[in-house]
Amino acid sequence: VDPQIFVLMWIMIFISFLFFLSLIFWTKDTFLTGPSAKEEAQPKSFTREAIAWSKLFRVIWSPLIFICFFAIYDSFFYTIGPLMAESYQGIGIYSGLILAAYWVPTFLVSMFTQRLTRRFGKKRTAYFGLLIAALPLLIFFVGDSPVLAAAIFFVSASFSSFSVPAISSAYTDYINEAHKYEEEIEAISDFLDNLGYIVGPIIAGVLADRVGYEFSFGWLGIGLIVTLLLLVKLTPKHIRISNRVID
């Protein structure tokens, strides 16, 4: 890969960061109105924030771990998926169909998620959706054709597409049940989500360099299966926040 591409990437990131700082500076007082605005704008201390995060993690540790591993799963497809598609010889422009096979189910399957969550619960729908999505990835240990890759991507994405709306709905319930922890719940879930998208490409790159693209997806499948089986076994049926029960 041309090193100039990475130099240009960091330049664009730096410029974007400058725009972000400018946006914060010019809009920091926009929504501060009313007598209590100054009080509400006061940031919480690091100690109080850390304690709140610690308490929340002890309660909703399972959905938080799940959202991190889902981000790792998703980042694999965006990181080494295009490289694997380009590595197949003789398919030319049709290599894009391999990635399309991962995106299409998102629009087709998610509309049925509500029916599943009503029957099985939100957490179980999310967990088993990603668990079943991990199983087809094991086929990469024994096959590596472009048609097979597209089929695996499609089947895997068809089941993982249930997970995002299901777990998002669960987080909405947590926030509704504990309004005073709304900011903390959003912050810690975003942190774990971002952590997954940071760690995922690193793991994908290391595995691809050591074992190749197809085997990288296979090892991803093994890691997800082990993790999700543990989550299914150890996660309580109901998670309590405040004084009420959340499914």
Side-chain angles (χ1 to χ4, degrees):
V1 180
D2 191 346
Q4 293 182 355
I5 296 178
F6 292 97
V7 174
L8 180 61
M9 177 191 71
W10 284 109
I11 292 175
M12 297 304 296
I13 291 175
F14 179 72
I15 294 174
S16 300
F17 182 68
L18 292 180
F19 275 107
F20 176 69
L21 292 179
S22 301
L23 181 65
I24 293 176
F25 177 78
W26 289 108
T27 62
K28 63 180 180 179
D29 297 325
T30 301
F31 301 102
L32 298 182
T33 58
S36 61
K38 184 175 181 180
E39 180 180 351
E40 292 179 357
Q42 294 297 325
K44 296 181 180 179
S45 67
F46 175 80
T47 303
R48 289 182 59 190
E49 196 73 19
I51 293 174
W53 279 35
S54 176
K55 290 181 178 179
L56 282 173
F57 187 82
R58 288 198 295 267
V59 177
I60 58 173
W61 60 270
S62 178
L64 290 173
I65 292 176
F66 171 83
I67 201 171
C68 182
F69 272 86
F70 185 90
I72 293 174
Y73 161 85
D74 192 45
S75 65
F76 261 68
F77 288 89
Y78 287 99
T79 303
I80 62 176
L83 299 176
M84 187 179 74
E86 290 294 333
S87 69
Y88 293 120
Q89 301 295 327
I91 61 174
I93 60 174
Y94 296 104
S95 61
L97 296 178
I98 296 178
L99 287 180
Y102 177 70
W103 295 326
V104 169
T106 304
F107 304 99
L108 301 178
V109 175
S110 57
M111 65 182 69
F112 302 105
T113 304
Q114 188 174 6
R115 297 180 183 178
L116 292 176
T117 56
R118 288 176 180 174
R119 182 172 182 179
F120 301 107
K122 296 169 183 176
K123 296 189 302 296
R124 293 179 67 84
T125 299
Y127 294 177
F128 278 100
L130 188 56
L131 175 61
I132 298 174
L135 295 176
L137 300 180
L138 302 180
I139 301 176
F140 277 120
F141 283 123
V142 296
D144 60 354
S145 72
V147 175
L148 180 63
I152 292 173
F153 277 23
F154 182 83
V155 174
S156 181
S158 295
F159 287 99
S160 66
S161 296
F162 291 116
S163 298
V164 174
I167 203 66
S168 298
S169 181
Y171 275 108
T172 301
D173 289 343
Y174 301 154
I175 292 174
N176 289 336
E177 294 292 337
H179 291 290
K180 65 178 181 179
Y181 289 118
E182 178 178 356
E183 293 183 0
E184 286 78 7
I185 292 174
E186 292 178 348
I188 193 172
S189 61
D190 287 344
F191 174 79
L192 269 297
D193 186 45
N194 292 331
L195 180 64
Y197 279 108
I198 292 173
V199 174
I202 297 175
I203 298 175
V206 172
L207 284 176
D209 184 60
R210 299 292 180 86
V211 300
Y213 302 130
E214 290 81 5
F215 275 31
S216 297
F217 280 104
W219 283 109
L220 171 65
I222 292 177
L224 288 174
I225 291 170
V226 172
T227 301
L228 288 163
L229 286 176
L230 289 174
L231 289 180
V232 170
K233 182 176 179 60
L234 299 177
T235 301
K237 184 177 181 180
H238 301 288
I239 293 180
R240 295 178 180 273
I241 295 183
S242 297
N243 297 321
R244 299 179 63 181
V245 177
I246 301 174
D247 184 11

XYZ file of all heavy atoms in Angstrom, residues 8-74:
570
model
N -2.052 11.031 3.862
C -3.249 11.799 3.527
C -4.372 11.515 4.515
O -5.111 12.428 4.911
C -3.696 11.457 2.104
C -4.945 12.191 1.586
C -4.706 13.698 1.562
C -5.316 11.686 0.195
N -4.489 10.262 4.949
C -5.531 9.896 5.909
C -5.361 10.670 7.206
O -6.318 11.242 7.743
C -5.480 8.394 6.182
C -6.490 7.914 7.228
S -6.196 6.208 7.742
C -4.674 6.414 8.698
N -4.125 10.722 7.736
C -3.887 11.422 8.998
C -4.072 12.928 8.847
O -4.516 13.603 9.781
C -2.486 11.109 9.514
C -2.381 9.745 10.129
C -1.740 8.655 9.634
C -2.987 9.324 11.359
N -1.897 7.585 10.469
C -2.646 7.960 11.537
C -3.775 9.961 12.320
C -3.077 7.237 12.642
C -4.201 9.240 13.419
C -3.855 7.900 13.577
N -3.758 13.462 7.681
C -3.996 14.888 7.444
C -5.492 15.190 7.497
O -5.930 16.164 8.123
C -3.403 15.317 6.081
C -1.868 15.253 6.136
C -3.861 16.726 5.718
C -1.208 15.541 4.804
N -6.297 14.341 6.857
C -7.743 14.552 6.858
C -8.323 14.381 8.262
O -9.237 15.106 8.663
C -8.413 13.577 5.888
C -8.009 13.771 4.429
S -8.324 15.464 3.857
C -10.103 15.525 3.992
N -7.796 13.422 9.020
C -8.259 13.242 10.399
C -7.936 14.476 11.234
O -8.758 14.946 12.037
C -7.619 11.979 11.018
C -8.183 10.725 10.347
C -7.863 11.932 12.529
C -7.532 9.442 10.810
N -6.738 15.033 11.043
C -6.343 16.221 11.793
C -7.235 17.412 11.439
O -7.678 18.159 12.320
C -4.875 16.551 11.490
C -4.375 17.783 12.192
C -4.138 17.776 13.558
C -4.155 18.957 11.479
C -3.683 18.917 14.204
C -3.705 20.096 12.116
C -3.465 20.079 13.487
N -7.526 17.575 10.155
C -8.402 18.673 9.734
C -9.803 18.488 10.315
O -10.426 19.445 10.799
C -8.459 18.753 8.196
C -7.085 19.145 7.640
C -9.520 19.755 7.747
C -7.010 19.111 6.125
N -10.294 17.254 10.299
C -11.616 16.978 10.871
C -11.640 17.280 12.358
O -12.627 17.811 12.888
C -11.990 15.513 10.627
O -12.024 15.226 9.251
N -10.546 16.966 13.042
C -10.467 17.235 14.476
C -10.494 18.734 14.750
O -11.131 19.195 15.709
C -9.191 16.617 15.046
C -9.038 16.788 16.530
C -9.889 16.135 17.407
C -8.045 17.605 17.049
C -9.754 16.289 18.774
C -7.906 17.766 18.412
C -8.761 17.109 19.282
N -9.829 19.515 13.907
C -9.861 20.967 14.068
C -11.276 21.508 13.882
O -11.722 22.389 14.632
C -8.905 21.623 13.065
C -7.402 21.389 13.292
C -6.595 22.094 12.209
C -6.980 21.887 14.673
N -11.982 20.985 12.884
C -13.369 21.401 12.689
C -14.230 21.014 13.891
O -15.125 21.762 14.302
C -13.936 20.773 11.413
C -13.624 21.547 10.170
C -12.689 21.089 9.258
C -14.270 22.746 9.898
C -12.394 21.806 8.114
C -13.987 23.472 8.751
C -13.040 23.005 7.854
N -13.956 19.854 14.459
C -14.710 19.397 15.628
C -14.485 20.328 16.816
O -15.430 20.712 17.518
C -14.289 17.969 15.980
C -14.941 17.431 17.215
C -16.296 17.151 17.241
C -14.196 17.199 18.360
C -16.903 16.656 18.382
C -14.790 16.704 19.507
C -16.147 16.432 19.516
N -13.237 20.717 17.047
C -12.941 21.647 18.137
C -13.610 22.997 17.904
O -14.123 23.616 18.844
C -11.425 21.820 18.271
C -10.627 20.606 18.766
C -9.146 20.945 18.823
C -11.118 20.158 20.139
N -13.604 23.437 16.658
C -14.256 24.710 16.339
C -15.753 24.637 16.598
O -16.357 25.582 17.121
C -13.999 25.071 14.870
O -12.616 25.181 14.615
N -16.354 23.508 16.246
C -17.792 23.335 16.475
C -18.117 23.385 17.960
O -19.097 24.011 18.379
C -18.247 22.006 15.871
C -19.733 21.677 16.006
C -20.571 22.680 15.227
C -20.010 20.257 15.510
N -17.295 22.729 18.769
C -17.511 22.757 20.219
C -17.396 24.179 20.755
O -18.204 24.627 21.578
C -16.497 21.828 20.924
C -16.770 20.367 20.563
C -16.550 22.016 22.440
C -15.761 19.400 21.141
N -16.405 24.914 20.270
C -16.173 26.272 20.766
C -17.338 27.194 20.431
O -17.792 27.979 21.269
C -14.879 26.821 20.160
C -14.595 28.248 20.553
C -14.072 28.548 21.800
C -14.862 29.284 19.668
C -13.819 29.858 22.156
C -14.610 30.595 20.021
C -14.083 30.889 21.269
N -17.860 27.088 19.215
C -18.898 28.022 18.775
C -20.286 27.642 19.260
O -21.198 28.478 19.260
C -18.905 28.121 17.246
C -17.710 28.840 16.700
C -16.659 28.295 16.027
C -17.433 30.239 16.794
N -15.743 29.254 15.705
C -16.193 30.468 16.155
C -18.113 31.326 17.355
C -15.623 31.725 16.064
C -17.538 32.584 17.262
C -16.308 32.779 16.627
N -20.490 26.410 19.681
C -21.840 25.982 20.084
C -21.941 25.628 21.555
O -22.976 25.148 22.002
C -22.279 24.757 19.261
O -21.381 23.664 19.508
C -22.298 25.079 17.782
N -20.901 25.859 22.333
C -20.918 25.408 23.722
C -21.986 26.098 24.561
O -22.460 25.550 25.547
C -19.544 25.612 24.355
C -19.106 27.074 24.427
C -17.719 27.185 25.064
C -17.268 28.642 25.152
N -15.941 28.764 25.782
N -22.379 27.330 24.196
C -23.374 28.054 24.984
C -24.738 28.120 24.302
O -25.641 28.803 24.773
C -22.899 29.494 25.252
C -21.625 29.516 26.081
O -21.490 28.638 26.953
O -20.775 30.393 25.848
N -24.901 27.419 23.202
C -26.124 27.554 22.416
C -27.359 27.110 23.180
O -28.406 27.753 23.150
C -26.009 26.731 21.116
O -24.875 27.202 20.383
C -27.272 26.873 20.280
N -27.237 25.974 23.899
C -28.409 25.396 24.548
C -28.440 25.664 26.051
O -29.225 25.067 26.764
C -28.444 23.880 24.301
C -28.478 23.530 22.847
C -27.324 23.097 22.198
C -29.645 23.649 22.124
C -27.354 22.778 20.857
C -29.676 23.327 20.778
C -28.531 22.895 20.147
N -27.581 26.546 26.534
C -27.550 26.847 27.959
C -28.468 28.025 28.249
O -28.069 29.177 28.197
C -26.114 27.165 28.401
C -25.109 26.025 28.216
C -23.746 26.448 28.743
C -25.584 24.766 28.903
N -29.720 27.747 28.498
C -30.691 28.789 28.796
C -31.425 28.430 30.066
O -31.521 27.266 30.449
C -31.707 28.934 27.653
O -32.359 27.685 27.458
C -31.030 29.370 26.365
N -31.976 29.442 30.748
C -32.726 29.182 31.967
C -31.848 29.317 33.189
O -30.620 29.321 33.119
N -32.457 29.415 34.376
C -31.708 29.663 35.596
C -30.808 28.520 36.012
O -29.808 28.730 36.679
C -32.821 29.886 36.641
C -34.019 29.180 36.072
C -33.903 29.347 34.596
N -31.173 27.279 35.643
C -30.368 26.142 36.091
C -29.392 25.664 35.034
O -28.751 24.644 35.202
C -31.285 24.969 36.472
O -32.038 24.565 35.344
N -29.292 26.416 33.935
C -28.427 25.963 32.845
C -26.979 25.888 33.277
O -26.263 24.949 32.951
C -28.563 26.907 31.646
N -26.527 26.886 34.027
C -25.136 26.893 34.449
C -24.840 25.719 35.357
O -23.797 25.077 35.274
C -24.824 28.213 35.154
C -23.366 28.356 35.541
C -23.095 29.732 36.136
C -21.627 29.889 36.500
N -21.350 31.220 37.082
N -25.801 25.419 36.229
C -25.609 24.296 37.144
C -25.577 22.975 36.396
O -24.766 22.094 36.670
C -26.743 24.291 38.167
C -26.639 23.149 39.172
C -27.785 23.178 40.157
O -28.531 24.170 40.155
O -27.917 22.209 40.916
N -26.491 22.819 35.389
C -26.533 21.578 34.636
C -25.303 21.412 33.764
O -24.916 20.301 33.438
C -27.789 21.554 33.761
C -29.078 21.464 34.576
C -30.291 21.463 33.675
O -30.094 21.582 32.446
O -31.414 21.361 34.185
N -24.698 22.530 33.379
C -23.545 22.448 32.489
C -22.278 22.049 33.221
O -21.274 21.753 32.594
C -23.326 23.793 31.791
N -22.309 22.066 34.569
C -21.122 21.710 35.315
C -20.790 20.235 35.106
O -21.634 19.371 35.325
C -21.343 21.978 36.816
C -21.503 23.443 37.157
C -20.249 24.238 36.836
O -19.137 23.734 36.989
N -20.430 25.460 36.382
N -19.579 19.930 34.666
C -19.219 18.536 34.435
C -19.064 17.772 35.744
O -18.710 18.336 36.769
C -17.875 18.649 33.697
C -17.301 19.950 34.156
C -18.484 20.869 34.360
N -19.347 16.494 35.692
C -19.164 15.655 36.857
C -17.686 15.354 37.034
O -16.931 15.302 36.071
C -19.953 14.357 36.695
C -21.456 14.557 36.626
C -22.159 13.224 36.481
C -23.669 13.415 36.411
N -24.378 12.130 36.243
N -17.312 15.129 38.277
C -15.917 14.811 38.540
C -15.585 13.437 37.975
O -16.462 12.589 37.778
C -15.650 14.832 40.044
O -16.342 13.779 40.685
N -14.298 13.232 37.733
C -13.858 11.946 37.188
C -14.188 10.811 38.146
O -14.592 9.717 37.719
C -12.353 11.997 36.925
C -11.776 10.688 36.469
C -11.893 10.286 35.149
C -11.134 9.842 37.371
C -11.373 9.070 34.729
C -10.610 8.632 36.961
C -10.729 8.249 35.629
N -14.055 11.069 39.436
C -14.325 10.026 40.426
C -15.788 9.611 40.405
O -16.115 8.417 40.395
C -13.949 10.517 41.833
O -12.576 10.915 41.838
C -14.174 9.416 42.855
N -16.694 10.605 40.385
C -18.124 10.291 40.355
C -18.496 9.553 39.077
O -19.303 8.614 39.095
C -18.938 11.579 40.473
C -18.899 12.233 41.846
C -19.772 13.459 41.875
N -21.152 13.143 41.543
C -22.091 14.058 41.315
N -21.781 15.350 41.355
N -23.329 13.696 41.031
N -17.910 9.980 37.967
C -18.206 9.326 36.693
C -17.701 7.887 36.697
O -18.389 6.968 36.229
C -17.556 10.101 35.549
C -18.089 9.755 34.173
C -19.479 10.298 33.932
O -19.904 11.222 34.660
O -20.152 9.796 33.019
N -16.505 7.680 37.243
C -15.937 6.330 37.291
C -16.772 5.419 38.179
O -16.992 4.242 37.860
C -14.492 6.390 37.797
N -17.244 5.957 39.301
C -18.083 5.163 40.202
C -19.398 4.788 39.524
O -19.867 3.646 39.620
C -18.345 5.938 41.512
C -17.044 6.085 42.305
C -19.402 5.232 42.353
C -17.178 6.962 43.534
N -19.992 5.754 38.821
C -21.254 5.484 38.117
C -21.056 4.420 37.043
O -21.875 3.506 36.895
C -21.789 6.777 37.505
N -19.964 4.528 36.284
C -19.676 3.532 35.251
C -19.468 2.158 35.873
O -19.921 1.145 35.334
C -18.435 3.944 34.458
C -18.695 4.956 33.393
C -19.597 5.980 33.435
C -18.043 5.051 32.129
N -19.537 6.713 32.280
C -18.595 6.172 31.460
C -17.045 4.324 31.507
C -18.183 6.557 30.194
C -16.618 4.709 30.238
C -17.187 5.811 29.591
N -18.773 2.127 37.000
C -18.507 0.853 37.669
C -19.801 0.194 38.128
O -20.002 -1.016 37.950
C -17.578 1.083 38.859
O -17.368 -0.106 39.578
N -20.699 0.986 38.704
C -21.981 0.448 39.162
C -22.807 -0.066 37.991
O -23.408 -1.145 38.059
C -22.756 1.521 39.924
C -22.158 1.884 41.280
C -23.004 2.946 41.962
C -22.445 3.293 43.333
N -23.251 4.345 44.000
N -22.833 0.711 36.914
C -23.612 0.302 35.752
C -23.041 -0.956 35.111
O -23.788 -1.841 34.684
C -23.660 1.435 34.727
C -24.629 2.573 35.026
C -24.444 3.704 34.030
C -26.068 2.071 34.975
N -21.716 -1.037 35.045
C -21.106 -2.206 34.415
C -21.426 -3.475 35.197
O -21.637 -4.539 34.606
C -19.592 -2.030 34.305
C -18.924 -3.125 33.505
C -18.902 -3.064 32.123
C -18.346 -4.217 34.134
C -18.304 -4.074 31.375
C -17.748 -5.228 33.399
C -17.729 -5.154 32.015
N -21.478 -3.362 36.523
C -21.810 -4.537 37.331
C -23.243 -5.003 37.089
O -23.555 -6.177 37.280
C -21.602 -4.232 38.820
C -20.145 -4.127 39.230
C -19.998 -4.259 40.736
N -20.636 -3.156 41.438
C -20.013 -2.049 41.815
N -18.717 -1.886 41.524
N -20.655 -1.095 42.458
N -24.096 -4.080 36.645
C -25.499 -4.426 36.410
C -25.732 -4.880 34.973
O -26.371 -5.907 34.723
C -26.417 -3.230 36.746
C -27.869 -3.563 36.419
C -26.275 -2.848 38.208
N -25.221 -4.120 34.010
C -25.497 -4.418 32.595
C -24.227 -4.865 31.875
O -24.023 -4.566 30.701
C -26.134 -3.204 31.885
C -25.227 -1.971 31.978
C -27.496 -2.897 32.454
C -25.737 -0.791 31.152
N -23.364 -5.606 32.580
C -22.097 -6.042 31.995
C -22.304 -6.896 30.745
O -21.544 -6.802 29.779
C -21.295 -6.835 33.028
C -21.996 -8.072 33.519
C -22.843 -8.175 34.577
C -21.924 -9.380 32.937
N -23.310 -9.462 34.710
C -22.762 -10.226 33.716
C -21.251 -9.923 31.857
C -22.926 -11.578 33.433
C -21.412 -11.270 31.565
C -22.239 -12.078 32.359
N -23.337 -7.729 30.759
C -23.546 -8.641 29.637
C -23.887 -7.911 28.335
O -23.243 -8.151 27.299
C -24.645 -9.648 29.996
O -24.905 -10.512 28.914
N -24.876 -7.002 28.316
C -25.134 -6.261 27.074
C -23.950 -5.408 26.634
O -23.741 -5.218 25.431
C -26.346 -5.384 27.434
C -26.997 -6.071 28.577
C -25.883 -6.696 29.346
N -23.172 -4.909 27.596
C -22.016 -4.091 27.235
C -20.939 -4.928 26.547
O -20.346 -4.509 25.550
C -21.444 -3.412 28.478
C -22.309 -2.304 29.092
C -21.713 -1.828 30.406
C -22.457 -1.136 28.127
N -20.673 -6.108 27.096
C -19.703 -7.001 26.452
C -20.200 -7.411 25.072
O -19.430 -7.484 24.105
C -19.449 -8.237 27.335
C -18.714 -7.824 28.611
C -18.651 -9.295 26.573
C -18.504 -8.954 29.593
N -21.503 -7.658 24.981
C -22.066 -8.046 23.688
C -21.853 -6.961 22.640
O -21.443 -7.247 21.510
C -23.562 -8.336 23.825
C -24.244 -8.542 22.504
C -24.212 -9.775 21.882
C -24.890 -7.487 21.866
C -24.821 -9.962 20.647
C -25.498 -7.665 20.637
C -25.463 -8.904 20.023
N -22.134 -5.720 23.007
C -22.038 -4.645 22.018
C -20.595 -4.449 21.563
O -20.329 -4.096 20.414
C -22.637 -3.333 22.582
C -23.010 -2.391 21.437
C -21.678 -2.635 23.523
C -23.798 -1.178 21.882
N -19.642 -4.718 22.451
C -18.229 -4.627 22.077
C -17.869 -5.723 21.080
O -17.208 -5.463 20.067
C -17.358 -4.719 23.326
S -15.589 -4.550 22.998
N -18.321 -6.943 21.340
C -17.995 -8.050 20.440
C -18.734 -7.936 19.114
O -18.216 -8.370 18.080
C -18.298 -9.390 21.122
C -17.155 -9.905 21.933
C -16.978 -9.496 23.246
C -16.228 -10.777 21.385
C -15.915 -9.951 24.003
C -15.156 -11.246 22.123
C -14.996 -10.831 23.444
N -19.930 -7.347 19.138
C -20.610 -7.136 17.859
C -19.831 -6.135 17.010
O -19.737 -6.289 15.786
C -22.037 -6.635 18.065
C -22.803 -6.522 16.774
C -23.543 -7.595 16.308
C -22.762 -5.364 16.010
C -24.232 -7.513 15.101
C -23.439 -5.272 14.810
C -24.179 -6.346 14.349
N -19.276 -5.110 17.640
C -18.474 -4.134 16.904
C -17.232 -4.796 16.308
O -16.823 -4.481 15.183
C -18.080 -2.980 17.820
N -16.624 -5.713 17.063
C -15.468 -6.449 16.533
C -15.883 -7.281 15.327
O -15.198 -7.302 14.294
C -14.861 -7.338 17.634
C -14.249 -6.471 18.737
C -13.808 -8.280 17.049
C -13.748 -7.255 19.935
N -17.017 -7.972 15.463
C -17.547 -8.772 14.352
C -17.777 -7.900 13.118
O -17.340 -8.226 12.005
C -18.850 -9.436 14.813
C -19.758 -9.929 13.712
C -19.576 -11.185 13.141
C -20.822 -9.150 13.261
C -20.425 -11.646 12.139
C -21.672 -9.602 12.268
C -21.472 -10.847 11.712
O -22.313 -11.293 10.715
N -18.444 -6.779 13.296
C -18.768 -5.898 12.179
C -17.509 -5.320 11.539
O -17.413 -5.204 10.316
C -19.680 -4.778 12.677
C -20.308 -3.988 11.539
O -20.788 -4.612 10.570
O -20.317 -2.751 11.617
